Structures are given as C-alpha cells and as structure tokens.
Amino acid sequence: MAHPEYILTLSCLDQRGIVHRVSGFLADHGCNIIDSAQFGDAQSKLFFMRVHFSSEDASVSDAALRADFGVLGDALQMNWQLHDAGKKPRVMLMVSKIGHCLNDLLFRYKSGLLPVEIPAIVSNHTDFYQLAASYNIPFHHLPLATGAPMEVKRAQEQRIMEIVEANQIDLVVLARYMQILSPEMCEALRGRAINIHHSFLPSFKGAKPYYQAHDRGVKLIGATAHFVTGDLDEGPIIEQGVERVDHSMGPDTLTAIGRDIECVVLARAVKWFTEHRILLNGHKTVIFN
C-alpha cells in the first residue's frame, strides 16, 4: 500500500540547526524525505525550505503530524504549511475576450500535464462559454461594463468571491481577465491569485501594446506572471519569458509570438503554485524548481 505523501513549506528567521530540526522531526515521526530544497536569503535574513516526504508510520495520524509540527513551528516562529501531495489544488480561471491562455491551460489540464481541478470559469463576456462547456466546466458570466460605477463593480466582485468560497478555490488565475481588481479583492486573494501580462523593454501600456512595440522597433518581447496585489502589475514576480524579434516582423507576428510566451509563462507559474514551489519573500518570490 502506498504511503501518504506531503509537501512541507516554511520560512523563518535564518538560524543554525533548522534543517537538522526539521529532518529530525520527520525521522522521529516515521517519515521518509523524498526531496528537499532550502535557501537562506542574506538580504532579508530569512530561511526558506520545501520538503517532499512520505509518512510511513501508520500510527502517526495526519492530525498528530500537523499538531506536533506546530510545536516546532512555534518554537522557531515559522510561517509554515503542510500540504497533502495527493490532493489536486482547485483552480478558478478568469478571462475576458482574449482566450489563448485559457485555451492553453484547459488543454494542459485535460491532458494531465497540469494536475489540478478546475470547477469554475468566470468571465465578464460570453465569448468562451462554449469552450468551457466542451470541457464540462461551469461557466459564470458576470458582466461589468466599462466605466461601471463602484457599487456595480463591488457587487460583481462580491459574486466572484462567492464562487471562490462555494468552490473552495485554492488559486485564481487571471488568464487575460481585462479588469482591474479592487484593493479589497486583491487583499482577499493575497498569495492565491496569479496574473499574466506582456512585459516589454521598454514597457508599453494601454491599447495594442504589440503595435506600440512594433512602432518603436523593439528587439525583445516577453511576458510576466506575478501575484496579484493592489499595486497594478507590480506584485511579486513568479516567472518571465522573452523572445528576440527583428525589423522583419510585423505587429501581428509580434502579437502571435507574445501570446505564445504568455501561455508558457503562465502555465509554468500555475504549475509551480500547484506543486507548492513558490514562497513569498517580501516583494519577491523564492521558487524551488
């Protein structure tokens, strides 16, 4: 019979003996470490660790494992989480009228490349309800007109949060959802909402960024996946990708290349989140690949 597996993630003030105490705890509780990674940040003075292990002593219950580790966590003032490695995280996808990231994530999910459950897709438009139906995923159309008053926006976001709670969502993915979330919603989803957007050198904002980039003759285009915060497009970065371009490429070609990069970068970020590889380090992230 297979033993239950867990993923432990933690961060705390860096000090001697953390790895020894964590590995000793696991050994004393009948656990076998499958893989482990750690990092000490000299700047923030914090220590980060991810341990994938199996629990091989049937007399040690899940509740006992968590309660006993809580004692160690308190002693070292840890921020820690213990995840059931066999449980697929529940992901909600949000999209507007551009569907390449949505389509890519759904294909990866259906083909088993992305080990998640997707119980809901939310959109402020109806463009992708048939795509959602083809995957047998409930589609929630929550319209929000451009320039809608704040009370209408708050009501729409409240409905979104009701869907999050009702479906026990672990991660919200803004797969080209073209609405700015309110500070209140950003705070409610802190650490569990990921956004994808283009990132150019230099950066171009507003309508048709790939056309702006073409007009300026850029040589690199790319994309950034980051956690959602109240500071627009400035949350902790999870993953980035770039591609070289040249003068022979028109704006439509740049758009196509950029969308491919967005799909890959977002998929990596979502996969790393669902595998509990991302730890927050202030305004930055630690990624255990």
Side-chain angles (χ1 to χ4, degrees):
M1 184 176 65
H3 300 293
E5 295 183 10
Y6 294 87
I7 296 173
L8 170 67
T9 58
L10 64 90
S11 62
C12 63
L13 188 66
D14 201 358
Q15 55 197 285
R16 287 190 298 271
I18 300 173
V19 174
H20 173 74
R21 294 185 69 174
V22 171
S23 59
F25 171 90
L26 295 175
D28 291 343
H29 285 73
C31 300
N32 180 51
I33 294 176
I34 298 171
D35 62 73
S36 177
Q38 56 275 333
F39 170 68
D41 187 347
Q43 184 176 20
S44 67
K45 309 299 182 185
L46 293 176
F47 178 84
F48 302 86
M49 190 173 186
R50 178 187 184 273
V51 187
H52 179 195
F53 66 91
S54 61
S55 179
E56 299 180 354
D57 186 344
S59 67
V60 179
S61 67
D62 178 274
L65 194 64
R66 295 175 186 274
D68 291 352
F69 191 83
V71 176
L72 176 59
D74 290 344
L76 296 179
Q77 296 183 309
M78 288 180 179
N79 178 13
W80 64 276
Q81 291 182 305
L82 185 59
H83 309 275
D84 181 348
K87 180 183 177 183
K88 292 183 179 180
R90 297 173 64 80
V91 176
M92 184 175 86
L93 305 178
M94 298 183 65
V95 66
S96 290
K97 295 177 72 68
I98 302 174
H100 56 283
C101 288
L102 173 69
N103 191 56
D104 180 76
L105 290 172
L106 289 175
F107 173 79
R108 292 172 189 267
Y109 152 73
K110 190 67 173 181
S111 60
L113 298 173
L114 193 60
V116 299
E117 299 292 347
I118 304 179
I121 296 173
V122 170
S123 180
N124 54 327
H125 298 281
T126 58
D127 297 56
F128 300 111
Y129 79 92
Q130 288 182 325
L131 179 62
S134 72
Y135 285 91
N136 198 30
I137 298 174
F139 182 88
H140 303 269
H141 177 221
L142 304 179
L144 186 64
T146 302
M150 186 55 64
E151 58 269 22
V152 173
K153 183 177 179 65
R154 277 197 290 263
Q156 191 250 18
E157 289 190 342
Q158 178 60 39
R159 179 68 186 115
I160 293 172
M161 292 307 300
E162 288 172 359
I163 296 171
V164 169
E165 296 300 322
N167 289 278
Q168 298 179 308
I169 298 299
D170 299 301
L171 174 66
V172 173
V173 178
L174 306 186
R176 295 302 300 268
Y177 179 69
M178 307 305 290
Q179 292 289 333
I180 298 174
L181 304 187
S182 69
E184 293 78 13
M185 188 170 180
C186 290
E187 182 61 29
L189 295 174
R190 177 182 290 271
R192 57 186 183 126
I194 293 176
N195 187 27
I196 183 70
H197 66 85
H198 64 86
S199 59
F200 294 101
L201 299 175
S203 177
F204 300 102
K205 298 180 180 180
K208 295 189 174 181
Y210 291 101
Y211 282 75
Q212 296 180 55
H214 178 261
D215 288 341
R216 289 289 299 277
V218 301
K219 299 299 183 279
L220 283 173
I221 62 174
T224 297
H226 63 90
F227 281 114
V228 174
T229 67
D231 298 319
L232 182 62
D233 292 339
E234 295 184 15
I237 293 171
I238 301 169
E239 173 64 332
Q240 294 179 295
V242 296
E243 187 77 26
R244 293 202 65 85
V245 295
D246 62 39
H247 64 276
S248 68
M249 300 175 181
D252 290 339
T253 299
L254 297 191
T255 300
I257 294 172
R259 288 181 175 179
D260 285 345
I261 303 169
E262 290 170 15
C263 288
V264 172
V265 168
L266 182 58
R268 286 178 185 157
V270 172
K271 188 171 188 291
W272 293 343
F273 182 96
T274 60
E275 293 175 346
H276 313 294
R277 297 184 180 277
I278 308 169
L279 282 74
L280 284 170
N281 182 16
H283 297 299
K284 301 184 293 184
T285 58
V286 173
I287 312 289
F288 288 123
N289 289 325

